[in-house]
Amino acid sequence: MQHTHDIEFVDDVVRKTYVSWSKGEPDREWAALEHLEQHAPGLGPRPIERSVVEGRPVVVMSRVPGEPLTGALSKLQTDALISALQQLFTVPVPAVLPERANTPACLPELFRSWLAQEYEWTMCQDSALVRHAVAVARAWTDDHETASDWIVDRVIALGDGNLDNVLWDGEVCRLIDWEEYGASDLAYELADVVEHASSRLQRRLDVEELLRAFGLDTSRRAQVEHHRRMFACFWLAMLLPGNRGWHRNPPGATEDQARHVLRLIGD
């Protein structure tokens, strides 16, 4: 969730220089680009070169055509996004591939302490609502630990549901920013996409249409809903006064997320 790299565009080439790499981001990205080039060419950038310059890892890749998805997705864009995700999730998963960054086993540890802090609640438009949602989110998180065998339907993961990582060229969607790449579970990845603040706060996705496209049975849909609650709690924490999401979103976003958490958890 922090700035990890600098980007330089030169013609049809992208040069990505990392400023932090504590989670092995350059290794993850390079491994992803090589694997996709072999099994799903065209879905993401083509790997060109990796190096170290002045002690900083550098990954050079082809420039992907298109622009990030913006605004509410049209039917054509939704279908293209679904197609890209379906293609991604059919890519074979290497047996030795580590889990993606921010797994459901570790994600709560990123935000549990945020939920426990005191904030300048008067900065919120509806402090009572937000504080109630925080209490509900904290209780739900404490009561719902993720099992160690959380991967049921093993898939390749981009590892970030941000639609800024989906480029649309008018016909197809392609995926970029693979620094959190790894093995994951289908339900977890779908929840990450539909709950990401980049789209949910603006109601950009037809969530039911997207989920329906993956033909989930009752058990798998229940897993999606479980992971959605966890991501919703995470984004509530991010949107609390002074936290990163608070500064990036307009007034009222925190209350919107608070209501969403309460709807999902059922309080």
Side-chain angles (χ1 to χ4, degrees):
M1 304 305 298
Q2 61 181 359
H3 175 66
T4 61
H5 57 265
D6 294 324
I7 292 290
E8 179 184 5
F9 299 97
V10 180
D11 298 326
D12 59 350
V13 170
V14 177
R15 182 183 180 89
K16 189 171 186 176
T17 303
Y18 282 84
V19 298
S20 67
W21 52 93
S22 61
K23 296 181 181 178
E25 291 92 341
D27 295 332
R28 287 180 183 269
E29 181 136 36
W30 186 255
L33 299 184
E34 287 194 316
H35 192 62
L36 290 176
E37 182 67 11
Q38 180 179 359
H39 296 282
L43 182 60
R46 178 173 53 84
I48 296 176
E49 180 186 24
R50 68 176 304 186
S51 61
V52 176
V53 177
E54 297 181 351
R56 298 167 61 185
V58 176
V59 171
V60 182
M61 66 197 83
S62 63
R63 187 170 184 174
V64 174
E67 298 293 334
L69 291 169
T70 57
L73 271 62
S74 67
K75 180 63 166 62
L76 188 61
Q77 290 173 323
T78 299
D79 289 345
L81 172 61
I82 290 171
S83 178
L85 292 175
Q86 288 175 331
Q87 185 181 3
L88 173 64
F89 296 148
T90 58
V91 171
V93 186
V96 297
L97 183 65
E99 293 178 354
R100 59 161 279 178
N102 300 323
T103 70
C106 71
L107 183 63
E109 299 310 314
L110 294 177
F111 67 85
R112 185 178 273 119
S113 63
W114 299 343
L115 293 175
Q117 294 175 21
E118 285 298 319
Y119 293 89
E120 292 291 336
W121 301 109
T122 56
M123 297 174 67
C124 299
Q125 292 183 349
D126 189 336
S127 60
L129 168 67
V130 174
R131 295 186 74 170
H132 175 55
V134 166
V136 169
R138 185 164 56 237
W140 185 90
T141 304
D142 289 342
D143 290 342
H144 292 81
E145 297 294 334
T146 300
S148 58
D149 56 347
W150 64 280
I151 296 181
V152 179
D153 292 332
R154 200 164 186 256
V155 296
I156 291 290
L158 176 65
D160 187 346
N162 192 343
L163 294 186
D164 286 347
N165 295 329
V166 182
L167 299 189
W168 161 253
D169 70 357
E171 296 182 1
V172 302
C173 287
R174 298 178 178 87
L175 308 177
I176 62 170
D177 278 354
W178 291 90
E179 58 198 53
E180 297 186 350
Y181 162 77
S184 187
D185 178 73
L186 175 63
Y188 190 64
E189 293 311 303
L190 292 176
D192 192 358
V193 172
V194 301
E195 287 300 320
H196 200 284
S198 68
S199 59
R200 199 210 66 76
L201 288 172
Q202 299 178 37
R203 312 300 195 270
R204 296 176 58 195
L205 283 176
D206 185 330
V207 171
E208 289 306 314
E209 181 177 356
L210 187 146
L211 294 179
R212 191 164 48 245
F214 289 87
L216 304 170
D217 62 22
T218 302
S219 174
R220 301 306 291 133
R221 181 59 187 260
Q223 285 295 314
V224 172
E225 296 307 312
H226 170 82
H227 293 313
R228 287 184 68 183
R229 294 182 185 104
M230 182 166 59
F231 276 114
C233 292
F234 165 76
W235 284 110
L236 175 62
M238 284 285 287
L239 287 159
L240 293 176
N243 288 351
R244 189 166 296 146
W246 173 270
H247 299 294
R248 293 180 175 178
N249 290 279
T254 304
E255 285 74 15
D256 187 307
Q257 188 67 22
R259 287 187 288 269
H260 182 61
V261 165
L262 296 175
R263 281 194 300 269
L264 287 184
I265 294 179
D267 186 281

